[in-house]
């Protein structure tokens, strides 16, 4: 288990995107969290949507006085092959999770749990990779939340059964849509929509000349109407 160091970001740069009511709401929420120690746990610091969110959310929360720490679990290629399989099965892919795979998944979670100093008031575990960590803590302190970022509206039954083994370990669950939670079969959940950082490299405004130079490179006639679809190349999305 390693803590991720993030670059500094200031909430003041984002005030132009906030209405007075939303700015007041964010300020009030951050005040309520002051004095609490919060941990995020996920499986990677780079390369995924969750990591991309954290590189914005964690430093922005810190800039508002929230004591938020981000930890990445450690695992080998075998572990991440198993969890990728679980991930895809939760999205509906057919398949079977063998006992040996489950045992290895649990073993890596156990090893990571041993490295987590349980000194946090709130621990938010993201997606299935580190989901079994609370099971192996010698003394489960604080408030545990499981945040699912996956489309689990029609999960494979074996993956659903595995996830349901660990849901009772959590005080709260969070999904992005009601249908995702209904697919898992849990009634106790909250909905939080995915966050978009308007100042990240992916989302900042571009000059029209820069846009045209890029799309023309691929033979796009910018004088004609353009239909754009944006999606990751994943057969289970």
């Amino acid at each position: 288990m390693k803590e991720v160091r993030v670059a500094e970001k200031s909430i003041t740069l984002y005030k132009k995107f906030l209405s007075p009511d939303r700015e007041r709401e964010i300020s009030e929420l951050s005040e309520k969290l002051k004095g609490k120690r919060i941990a995020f746990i996920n499986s990677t610091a780079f390369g995924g949507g969750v990591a991309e969110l954290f590189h914005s959310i964690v430093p922005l929360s810190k800039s508002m006085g929230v004591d938020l720490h981000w930890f990445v679990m450690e695992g080998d290629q075998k572990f991440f092959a198993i969890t990728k399989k679980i991930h895809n099965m939760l999205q509906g892919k057919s398949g079977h999770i063998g006992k040996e795979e489950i045992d290895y998944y649990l073993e890596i979670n156990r090893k990571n749990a041993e490295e987590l100093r349980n000194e946090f008031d709130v621990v938010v575990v993201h997606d299935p990779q580190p989901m079994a960590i609370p099971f192996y803590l010698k003394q489960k302190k604080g408030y545990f939340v499981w945040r699912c970022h996956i489309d689990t509206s029609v999960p494979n039954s074996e993956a659903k059964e595995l996830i349901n083994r660990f849901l009772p370990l959590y005080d709260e669950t969070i999904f992005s849509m009601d249908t995702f939670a209904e697919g898992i079969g849990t009634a106790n959940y909250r909905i939080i929509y995915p966050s978009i950082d308007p100042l990240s490299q992916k989302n900042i405004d571009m000059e029209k000349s820069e846009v045209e130079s890029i799309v023309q490179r691929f033979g796009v006639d910018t004088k004609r109407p353009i239909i754009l679809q944006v999606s990751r190349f994943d057969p289970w999305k």
Side-chain angles (χ1 to χ4, degrees):
M1 188 87 68
K2 293 182 179 179
E3 184 166 0
V4 180
R5 304 298 176 185
V6 294
E8 291 186 3
K9 286 179 181 277
S10 174
I11 193 67
T12 57
L13 297 175
Y14 293 79
K15 290 191 175 182
K16 61 184 177 181
F17 302 106
L18 301 173
S19 66
D21 287 344
R22 183 52 56 87
E23 186 176 348
R24 190 179 310 111
E25 179 187 11
I26 292 173
S27 178
E28 290 173 355
L29 289 171
S30 62
E31 281 295 324
K32 289 181 180 179
L33 290 173
K34 286 181 180 176
K36 304 290 185 183
R37 286 178 57 79
I38 303 168
F40 279 4
I41 302 175
N42 79 316
S43 62
T44 181
F46 296 98
V50 176
E52 182 181 341
L53 289 174
F54 288 3
H55 278 289
S56 294
I57 291 172
V58 173
L60 286 173
S61 298
K62 286 178 175 289
S63 78
M64 299 192 72
V66 178
D67 189 8
L68 176 57
H69 300 259
W70 172 14
F71 295 92
V72 169
M73 70 181 308
E74 295 183 87
D76 57 15
Q77 188 174 355
K78 179 180 177 180
F79 172 76
F80 288 113
I82 293 169
T83 56
K84 184 62 176 178
K85 182 179 181 180
I86 295 170
H87 180 112
N88 286 336
M89 289 174 69
L90 283 170
Q91 294 182 115
K93 185 178 181 180
S94 60
H96 169 68
I97 308 171
K99 182 180 184 303
E100 182 183 342
E101 292 174 304
I102 293 174
D103 288 345
Y104 196 78
Y105 166 79
L106 295 175
E107 176 63 13
I108 297 300
N109 270 263
R110 182 190 64 78
K111 288 180 178 179
N112 278 272
E114 289 177 350
E115 297 176 8
L116 179 66
R117 296 193 307 275
N118 196 7
E119 55 191 22
F120 296 96
D121 299 288
V122 181
V123 178
V124 186
V125 175
H126 293 260
D127 284 337
Q129 296 93 334
M131 195 176 181
I133 282 177
F135 183 77
Y136 293 102
L137 295 175
K138 292 180 181 178
Q139 189 174 4
K140 183 173 172 288
K141 300 177 182 177
Y143 194 82
F144 278 73
V145 180
W146 185 56
R147 173 45 154 139
C148 179
H149 298 270
I150 304 171
D151 178 352
T152 52
S153 52
V154 284
N156 177 295
S157 59
E158 288 193 21
K160 176 180 175 179
E161 182 181 346
L162 178 64
I163 291 302
N164 284 338
R165 287 170 57 177
F166 307 115
L167 281 178
L169 299 172
Y170 292 89
D171 303 287
E172 194 86 57
T173 53
I174 300 172
F175 292 84
S176 300
M177 293 180 65
D178 286 307
T179 54
F180 297 175
E182 290 163 5
I184 293 295
T186 180
N188 179 31
Y189 66 90
R190 295 176 184 265
I191 297 297
I192 297 179
Y193 300 124
S195 306
I196 295 174
D197 183 347
L199 297 181
S200 71
Q201 191 66 34
K202 184 186 289 185
N203 298 318
I204 56 175
D205 289 333
M206 300 171 66
E207 296 293 335
K208 185 178 180 181
S209 59
E210 184 181 9
V211 173
E212 289 180 345
S213 71
I214 292 171
V215 296
Q216 287 172 356
R217 200 182 307 158
F218 295 96
V220 177
D221 182 357
T222 56
K223 294 183 173 61
R224 300 178 64 187
I226 295 174
I227 298 174
L228 173 67
Q229 177 175 316
V230 180
S231 177
R232 64 183 276 184
F233 294 103
D234 182 340
W236 304 108
K237 290 296 182 188

